[in-house]
Amino acid sequence: EYALRSHSKAHWASEKGLLSDVLPYKVPGVADTVVKDNGIRPSTIEQMSKLKAAFIKPHGTITAANSSFLTDGASACLLMTEEKALELGYKPKAYLREFVYVSQDPKDQLLLGPAYATPKVLERAGLAMSDISVFEFHEAFAGQILANLKAMDSDYFAKTYMNRTEKVGTPDLSKFNLWGGSLSIGHPFGATGVRLITTAANRLADEDGQFALVAACAAGGIGHGMIVERYPQK
């Protein structure tokens, strides 16, 4: 269900022209130029459920349908002080207000970085979950997203594993990855961070929000969280 959600929302965003910050790319030896994300495949629960387990066979729950697929790509962003940007005549999209890096035991908490990073980055920024207009979380696997959401909604997890007094709470899904995510758009290694930030900045402008929370897991039990604030329209 979550993987289907990602593909459906990415398809909607693509059809609406919201994923337009993609540069055309000509693959040598291929006739057609790549002009948009081409891994978006809206399907049905029935079709997606037919795929077999990818790792622990035959009983695993991770399949090609609910994983970020093999893809190629690159990303870039321009980061500088507001003063320098205005001096050069640039119009900023957003402020990077705060960020944290976290790390856990990769044995049993490999992809739970967002659950650890979210309360820390909110505290550093002096914000609450209710202050966030846009959530953009990296979707390594549908199961990884669901595990993070469950951990964030658990007082037991917060007290036992994070040494916190209470849970941070689950992001409002009506604000969560509304233009799809890595499951549907793809996850080129090294490119997803900027993709998350630019999507968050673009969504803030499109949805008239102020703050976005970006979070991702990474290999080795690492994770990060960031707060992005929309640049005021002047």
Side-chain angles (χ1 to χ4, degrees):
E1 288 176 353
Y2 186 84
L4 178 61
R5 175 191 191 271
S6 181
H7 281 275
S8 299
K9 290 191 176 297
H11 178 71
W12 172 84
S14 181
E15 292 296 303
K16 293 270 288 185
L18 298 173
L19 305 180
S20 58
D21 58 346
V22 177
L23 296 176
Y25 185 75
K26 184 72 173 67
V27 180
V30 177
D32 295 333
T33 300
V34 179
V35 295
K36 63 180 181 179
D37 295 300
N38 55 13
I40 302 170
R41 294 183 176 87
S43 183
T44 65
I45 289 289
E46 291 74 25
Q47 287 296 112
M48 297 179 86
S49 299
K50 290 179 181 178
L51 277 77
K52 304 300 183 184
F55 301 116
I56 304 173
K57 301 175 182 179
H59 305 296
T61 60
I62 303 298
T63 73
N66 58 33
S67 308
S68 52
F69 53 92
L70 291 173
T71 187
D72 195 11
S75 63
C77 71
L78 202 53
L79 188 65
M80 63 183 75
T81 64
E82 179 183 20
E83 181 183 30
K84 188 65 176 177
L86 298 178
E87 178 189 320
L88 294 173
Y90 294 135
K91 184 179 179 181
K93 277 194 168 187
Y95 296 105
L96 172 56
R97 285 302 191 194
E98 194 58 80
F99 66 93
V100 297
Y101 285 92
V102 295
S103 58
Q104 294 76 236
D105 186 344
K107 182 178 180 182
D108 62 352
Q109 300 180 56
L110 179 61
L111 302 180
L112 291 178
Y116 284 82
T118 294
K120 288 187 176 183
V121 78
L122 286 172
E123 286 176 355
R124 283 199 184 186
L127 299 172
M129 288 285 260
S130 58
D131 295 316
I132 305 301
S133 305
V134 166
F135 292 92
E136 283 294 327
F137 279 33
H138 166 47
E139 299 171 343
F141 305 93
Q144 164 260 333
I145 286 288
L146 299 178
N148 275 278
L149 296 181
K150 194 165 186 176
M152 293 165 72
D153 198 35
S154 168
D155 281 323
Y156 173 81
F157 187 89
K159 294 173 182 177
T160 307
Y161 293 98
M162 300 175 65
N163 197 30
R164 301 182 67 84
T165 56
E166 60 182 1
K167 63 187 180 184
V168 66
T170 306
D172 183 345
L173 288 185
S174 70
K175 305 175 181 179
F176 190 88
N177 289 18
L178 294 190
W179 294 0
S182 302
L183 287 171
S184 48
I185 298 171
H187 172 42
F189 292 164
T192 293
V194 166
R195 205 277 302 160
L196 289 166
I197 292 292
T198 53
T199 301
N202 290 338
R203 278 188 56 201
L204 283 172
D206 185 71
E207 299 166 24
D208 195 25
Q210 183 178 4
F211 293 109
L213 195 157
V214 177
C217 56
I222 299 169
H224 82 77
M226 287 184 173
I227 298 293
V228 176
E229 183 178 6
R230 178 184 176 189
Y231 191 78
Q233 304 300 307
K234 296 179 180 179

